Amino acid sequence: MSLPPLVEPAADLSIDEVRRYSRHLIIPDVGMDGQKRLKNAKVLAVGAGGLGSPVLMYLAAAGVGTLGIVEFDTVDESNLQRQIIHGQSDIGRSKAQSARDSIKEINPLIDVRLHETRLDNENVMEIFSQYDLIVDGTDNFATRYLVNDACVLLGKPYVWGSIYRFDGQVSVFWNEHGPNYRDLYPVPPPPGMVPSCAEGGVLGVLCATVGAIQATEAVKLITGIGDTLLGRLMVYDALEMTFRTIKVRKDPEGEPITELIDYDNFCGVVSVEAQEAAAGSTITVDELKDMMDSGKEFDLIDVREPNEYEIVSIPGARLIPKDEILSGRALSELPNDKPIVLHCKTGVRSAEVLAAIKAAGFKDAVHVQGGVTSWATRIDKALPTY
């Protein structure tokens, strides 16, 4: 859909800016007017990870005058396979600060504003109100719905992207002119149905393709050129090297968005059944280590996927993937004569499995809070994290 320019042009460009952006200026559709609009634009990237990296780098190179970054995490070695705005020397640093330094190296003319906080109901409206356009690169449903609802309430457009393994999706949402995210996904999937990139993996270069499309859509919105992805969902399959678009329409029966809600509860970050099962049946990695050291007999079961197990595992654990247990196929492999201790990467999947096996009659079972991640950071610091 073709839309009018999002921002007014800046008063002028300096001689340095004319030299820097000369390849834009000779494009008739961009020209001096479009470049001045880019200079005057304020764009917020939610996340400086796999998608935020190419988005921020290309928008900085394009001359977007003000770039905001919402990011509370630090750089981990496992990020470097896809989060190209960070480098080896940034491990352990604030992602927001690392991203700012990379942006300044690309284009020192950009004003970079950091919001080193977790986006939530208390701060989202104040942060978003400072920007013309939001680019969403988050990887969890609770934050996606929060971003959407805040943009609807503030009348802001935003560019959304999603990645998983070899697949990517991109769209533009702007409730005043077309659909919003809830028109595409009215309700979130059940907890555990869609694994995160940390659980399922992602091809690193996929982030470059999807992030570049997001940056392209941002430039088009700011300058008012071309047809945006508003009302369309672009689906990219890296293995087949195919792009296809799907029409997205406003839901005439959709509930109006009038306020922010409890997004963790709405998305069921952990299902009610898992919460109930985990209550009183959760142990820490320190307690697990004590059980091992005392010689207590129990069956330690890793419910992650085989490729995760190959990367790192807790000593003595045997692998039975979550889906094998939830489907009932592996219930016969569980012992009836000794306690069962379940774990995954962080504790979400193991809590879901715990609920399932308790419902199947295995009462003497617990799961490990924090899973392999906590074990690697607290007990066996020689083990890698991923």
Side-chain angles (χ1 to χ4, degrees), residues 341-356:
V341 179
L342 305 165
H343 77 82
C344 61
K345 181 180 180 180
T346 60
V348 175
R349 284 174 282 177
S350 58
E352 299 291 345
V353 174
L354 180 66

PDB file of all heavy atoms in Angstrom, residues 341-356:
ATOM      1  N   VAL A 341      13.612 -36.621  37.670  1.00  0.00           N
ATOM      2  CA  VAL A 341      14.030 -35.217  37.667  1.00  0.00           C
ATOM      3  C   VAL A 341      14.126 -34.771  36.213  1.00  0.00           C
ATOM      4  O   VAL A 341      14.929 -35.309  35.441  1.00  0.00           O
ATOM      5  CB  VAL A 341      15.377 -35.017  38.378  1.00  0.00           C
ATOM      6  CG1 VAL A 341      15.789 -33.542  38.319  1.00  0.00           C
ATOM      7  CG2 VAL A 341      15.304 -35.490  39.819  1.00  0.00           C
ATOM      8  N   LEU A 342      13.302 -33.814  35.840  1.00  0.00           N
ATOM      9  CA  LEU A 342      13.250 -33.314  34.470  1.00  0.00           C
ATOM     10  C   LEU A 342      14.012 -32.002  34.343  1.00  0.00           C
ATOM     11  O   LEU A 342      14.029 -31.189  35.283  1.00  0.00           O
ATOM     12  CB  LEU A 342      11.798 -33.079  34.043  1.00  0.00           C
ATOM     13  CG  LEU A 342      10.829 -34.257  34.164  1.00  0.00           C
ATOM     14  CD1 LEU A 342       9.398 -33.749  34.063  1.00  0.00           C
ATOM     15  CD2 LEU A 342      11.112 -35.296  33.091  1.00  0.00           C
ATOM     16  N   HIS A 343      14.590 -31.784  33.180  1.00  0.00           N
ATOM     17  CA  HIS A 343      15.171 -30.464  32.930  1.00  0.00           C
ATOM     18  C   HIS A 343      15.180 -30.187  31.438  1.00  0.00           C
ATOM     19  O   HIS A 343      15.103 -31.095  30.606  1.00  0.00           O
ATOM     20  CB  HIS A 343      16.580 -30.348  33.517  1.00  0.00           C
ATOM     21  CG  HIS A 343      17.644 -31.043  32.708  1.00  0.00           C
ATOM     22  ND1 HIS A 343      18.229 -30.470  31.600  1.00  0.00           N
ATOM     23  CD2 HIS A 343      18.216 -32.256  32.830  1.00  0.00           C
ATOM     24  CE1 HIS A 343      19.125 -31.292  31.093  1.00  0.00           C
ATOM     25  NE2 HIS A 343      19.135 -32.392  31.807  1.00  0.00           N
ATOM     26  N   CYS A 344      15.257 -28.884  31.090  1.00  0.00           N
ATOM     27  CA  CYS A 344      15.400 -28.451  29.700  1.00  0.00           C
ATOM     28  C   CYS A 344      16.479 -27.380  29.667  1.00  0.00           C
ATOM     29  O   CYS A 344      17.445 -27.464  30.423  1.00  0.00           O
ATOM     30  CB  CYS A 344      14.063 -27.963  29.138  1.00  0.00           C
ATOM     31  SG  CYS A 344      13.357 -26.555  30.009  1.00  0.00           S
ATOM     32  N   LYS A 345      16.315 -26.371  28.832  1.00  0.00           N
ATOM     33  CA  LYS A 345      17.313 -25.307  28.789  1.00  0.00           C
ATOM     34  C   LYS A 345      17.121 -24.322  29.933  1.00  0.00           C
ATOM     35  O   LYS A 345      18.076 -23.975  30.635  1.00  0.00           O
ATOM     36  CB  LYS A 345      17.266 -24.568  27.452  1.00  0.00           C
ATOM     37  CG  LYS A 345      18.317 -23.461  27.352  1.00  0.00           C
ATOM     38  CD  LYS A 345      18.278 -22.715  26.033  1.00  0.00           C
ATOM     39  CE  LYS A 345      19.363 -21.639  26.016  1.00  0.00           C
ATOM     40  NZ  LYS A 345      19.372 -20.871  24.764  1.00  0.00           N
ATOM     41  N   THR A 346      15.884 -23.860  30.129  1.00  0.00           N
ATOM     42  CA  THR A 346      15.635 -22.824  31.144  1.00  0.00           C
ATOM     43  C   THR A 346      14.554 -23.194  32.150  1.00  0.00           C
ATOM     44  O   THR A 346      14.379 -22.495  33.147  1.00  0.00           O
ATOM     45  CB  THR A 346      15.227 -21.499  30.473  1.00  0.00           C
ATOM     46  OG1 THR A 346      14.022 -21.713  29.718  1.00  0.00           O
ATOM     47  CG2 THR A 346      16.319 -20.984  29.548  1.00  0.00           C
ATOM     48  N   GLY A 347      13.787 -24.249  31.893  1.00  0.00           N
ATOM     49  CA  GLY A 347      12.749 -24.662  32.835  1.00  0.00           C
ATOM     50  C   GLY A 347      11.342 -24.570  32.316  1.00  0.00           C
ATOM     51  O   GLY A 347      10.421 -25.082  32.968  1.00  0.00           O
ATOM     52  N   VAL A 348      11.133 -23.937  31.145  1.00  0.00           N
ATOM     53  CA  VAL A 348       9.773 -23.787  30.609  1.00  0.00           C
ATOM     54  C   VAL A 348       9.263 -25.121  30.080  1.00  0.00           C
ATOM     55  O   VAL A 348       8.188 -25.599  30.448  1.00  0.00           O
ATOM     56  CB  VAL A 348       9.730 -22.708  29.513  1.00  0.00           C
ATOM     57  CG1 VAL A 348       8.342 -22.662  28.875  1.00  0.00           C
ATOM     58  CG2 VAL A 348      10.085 -21.345  30.093  1.00  0.00           C
ATOM     59  N   ARG A 349      10.040 -25.759  29.212  1.00  0.00           N
ATOM     60  CA  ARG A 349       9.599 -27.030  28.632  1.00  0.00           C
ATOM     61  C   ARG A 349       9.501 -28.130  29.680  1.00  0.00           C
ATOM     62  O   ARG A 349       8.581 -28.958  29.651  1.00  0.00           O
ATOM     63  CB  ARG A 349      10.559 -27.440  27.507  1.00  0.00           C
ATOM     64  CG  ARG A 349      10.378 -26.660  26.226  1.00  0.00           C
ATOM     65  CD  ARG A 349      11.442 -27.016  25.201  1.00  0.00           C
ATOM     66  NE  ARG A 349      12.714 -26.376  25.485  1.00  0.00           N
ATOM     67  CZ  ARG A 349      13.829 -26.565  24.774  1.00  0.00           C
ATOM     68  NH1 ARG A 349      13.817 -27.419  23.750  1.00  0.00           N
ATOM     69  NH2 ARG A 349      14.949 -25.929  25.067  1.00  0.00           N
ATOM     70  N   SER A 350      10.442 -28.151  30.616  1.00  0.00           N
ATOM     71  CA  SER A 350      10.399 -29.207  31.634  1.00  0.00           C
ATOM     72  C   SER A 350       9.186 -29.053  32.542  1.00  0.00           C
ATOM     73  O   SER A 350       8.633 -30.051  33.027  1.00  0.00           O
ATOM     74  CB  SER A 350      11.693 -29.211  32.454  1.00  0.00           C
ATOM     75  OG  SER A 350      11.917 -27.963  33.081  1.00  0.00           O
ATOM     76  N   ALA A 351       8.733 -27.809  32.757  1.00  0.00           N
ATOM     77  CA  ALA A 351       7.516 -27.608  33.551  1.00  0.00           C
ATOM     78  C   ALA A 351       6.299 -28.156  32.816  1.00  0.00           C
ATOM     79  O   ALA A 351       5.400 -28.749  33.426  1.00  0.00           O
ATOM     80  CB  ALA A 351       7.331 -26.123  33.860  1.00  0.00           C
ATOM     81  N   GLU A 352       6.256 -27.974  31.497  1.00  0.00           N
ATOM     82  CA  GLU A 352       5.142 -28.515  30.712  1.00  0.00           C
ATOM     83  C   GLU A 352       5.145 -30.049  30.747  1.00  0.00           C
ATOM     84  O   GLU A 352       4.101 -30.683  30.866  1.00  0.00           O
ATOM     85  CB  GLU A 352       5.233 -28.024  29.260  1.00  0.00           C
ATOM     86  CG  GLU A 352       5.149 -26.518  29.086  1.00  0.00           C
ATOM     87  CD  GLU A 352       3.776 -25.947  29.402  1.00  0.00           C
ATOM     88  OE1 GLU A 352       2.805 -26.720  29.485  1.00  0.00           O
ATOM     89  OE2 GLU A 352       3.690 -24.709  29.574  1.00  0.00           O
ATOM     90  N   VAL A 353       6.338 -30.636  30.638  1.00  0.00           N
ATOM     91  CA  VAL A 353       6.439 -32.097  30.700  1.00  0.00           C
ATOM     92  C   VAL A 353       6.074 -32.597  32.085  1.00  0.00           C
ATOM     93  O   VAL A 353       5.412 -33.638  32.239  1.00  0.00           O
ATOM     94  CB  VAL A 353       7.856 -32.555  30.301  1.00  0.00           C
ATOM     95  CG1 VAL A 353       8.008 -34.061  30.518  1.00  0.00           C
ATOM     96  CG2 VAL A 353       8.148 -32.205  28.849  1.00  0.00           C
ATOM     97  N   LEU A 354       6.490 -31.867  33.107  1.00  0.00           N
ATOM     98  CA  LEU A 354       6.156 -32.239  34.482  1.00  0.00           C
ATOM     99  C   LEU A 354       4.648 -32.340  34.667  1.00  0.00           C
ATOM    100  O   LEU A 354       4.142 -33.291  35.276  1.00  0.00           O
ATOM    101  CB  LEU A 354       6.750 -31.213  35.451  1.00  0.00           C
ATOM    102  CG  LEU A 354       6.485 -31.449  36.943  1.00  0.00           C
ATOM    103  CD1 LEU A 354       7.179 -32.715  37.424  1.00  0.00           C
ATOM    104  CD2 LEU A 354       6.960 -30.237  37.760  1.00  0.00           C
ATOM    105  N   ALA A 355       3.923 -31.361  34.125  1.00  0.00           N
ATOM    106  CA  ALA A 355       2.462 -31.390  34.232  1.00  0.00           C
ATOM    107  C   ALA A 355       1.899 -32.626  33.540  1.00  0.00           C
ATOM    108  O   ALA A 355       0.969 -33.276  34.055  1.00  0.00           O
ATOM    109  CB  ALA A 355       1.872 -30.122  33.625  1.00  0.00           C
ATOM    110  N   ALA A 356       2.465 -32.967  32.386  1.00  0.00           N
ATOM    111  CA  ALA A 356       1.957 -34.106  31.617  1.00  0.00           C
ATOM    112  C   ALA A 356       2.209 -35.429  32.328  1.00  0.00           C
ATOM    113  O   ALA A 356       1.318 -36.298  32.387  1.00  0.00           O
ATOM    114  CB  ALA A 356       2.584 -34.122  30.229  1.00  0.00           C
TER     115      ALA A 356
END
